[in-house]
Amino acid sequence: MTPLAAPAVDARLIRRTYGTALWDSRPVGEESRAHMAGLLRGHMRLLLPEDEKRVAAMPGTFNRSAGQHVIARAHDVLDVPVTGASSAEYVYDLATLTRVLLALHERPQRVGVRGVGGGGRRG
């Protein structure tokens, strides 16, 4: 039997989902927050396996450490039972972590790079 391929990452959909959770200022009810939490948890579970591999292979202690922190925090957040997963704060945490996991997926060499916020690369 041939193993199933991992689902494709739809970066546009992931961005739209976390963007709604982070920046949509309209009031959201409990049911909508629970739905958003479910979507974000699904995106995180899709991104995590590949991101874990990328983080393990990252060059440099600083980059790898930043990536490991994100991965560990993502696992901590996903360990929250679904029944407790719809507070506004929790959904915001999910959205923030989903955003970082997508960045790791798309540009793993840029996470934690000191030159992004100043400083530059030493060489």
Side-chain angles (χ1 to χ4, degrees), residues 4 7 29 69-70 72 90 107 111 123:
L4 295 175
H69 175 75
V70 168
Y90 180 77
R107 297 180 303 268
V111 174

Side-chain angles (χ1 to χ4, degrees), residues 62-83:
F62 185 79
N63 286 343
R64 196 169 34 262
S65 178
Q68 288 167 339
H69 175 75
V70 168
I71 297 297
R73 182 68 183 126
H75 282 290
D76 289 345
V77 167
L78 288 172
D79 284 345
V80 172
V82 174
T83 55

